[in-house]
Amino acid sequence: MTTTSHPVRRGLAAGITMLAATALLISGTLSILRGIAGVTEDEVFLIPSEYIYQLDVSAWGWVHLVLGVLLVVVALGMMVNAAWARIFAYCLAALSIIANFLSLPYYPWWSVILIVMDLIVIWAISTWTPRRT
């Protein structure tokens, strides 16, 4: 007995994949912009007086810039259905959540927005199961 893939399930899976890729692309782009602001030592960042994870604003800028570039590359890989992109998306979104949590005192609202975006990415990737399509 042969089974065929249901067109609605295929469409739903493709939609969830594109949602995850788009959210990852937005998160990566925002991280790149935050990184550029940090590297140029922009005046938008708060500098906490006592914070255990205190780094130079420029150092946090480089962290977010590199992470943002990697997020964009993985998002583009997900858009072309690269097999490696889904696994890397999980890992990089989790790393982005950690980096944004650790740099929360420097720019609180931006950090919270990026954490929420990364949680949406993890949710969207985890709900997509290619075997059920």
Side-chain angles (χ1 to χ4, degrees):
M1 185 167 161
T2 61
T3 59
T4 59
S5 179
H6 196 275
V8 173
R9 286 187 183 167
R10 279 196 313 255
L12 184 63
I16 289 174
T17 303
M18 283 301 123
L19 170 71
T22 304
L24 199 64
L25 187 64
I26 292 169
S27 178
T29 303
L30 290 174
S31 289
I32 289 171
L33 293 174
R34 181 178 183 171
I36 291 170
V39 168
T40 60
E41 297 182 9
D42 200 354
E43 301 279 326
V44 298
F45 293 101
L46 300 172
I47 303 188
S49 60
E50 291 184 30
Y51 182 56
I52 195 162
Y53 302 110
Q54 188 169 4
L55 289 176
D56 183 60
V57 174
S58 180
W60 278 118
W62 282 109
V63 167
H64 288 286
L65 184 63
V66 170
L67 194 57
V69 168
L70 291 173
L71 288 168
V72 168
V73 169
V74 169
L76 295 175
M78 285 184 66
M79 288 182 178
V80 296
N81 276 340
W84 54 268
R86 186 174 179 200
I87 295 167
F88 280 111
Y90 276 122
C91 298
L92 289 176
L95 282 175
S96 180
I97 288 172
I98 293 168
N100 283 299
F101 178 76
L102 293 177
S103 65
L104 196 61
Y106 292 92
Y107 206 148
W109 286 107
W110 203 336
S111 294
V112 169
I113 289 169
L114 287 174
I115 288 171
V116 169
M117 288 296 300
D118 292 326
L119 287 173
I120 291 170
V121 167
I122 291 172
W123 170 82
I125 294 169
S126 64
T127 58
W128 174 56
T129 54
R131 288 180 217 99
R132 290 193 314 186
T133 60

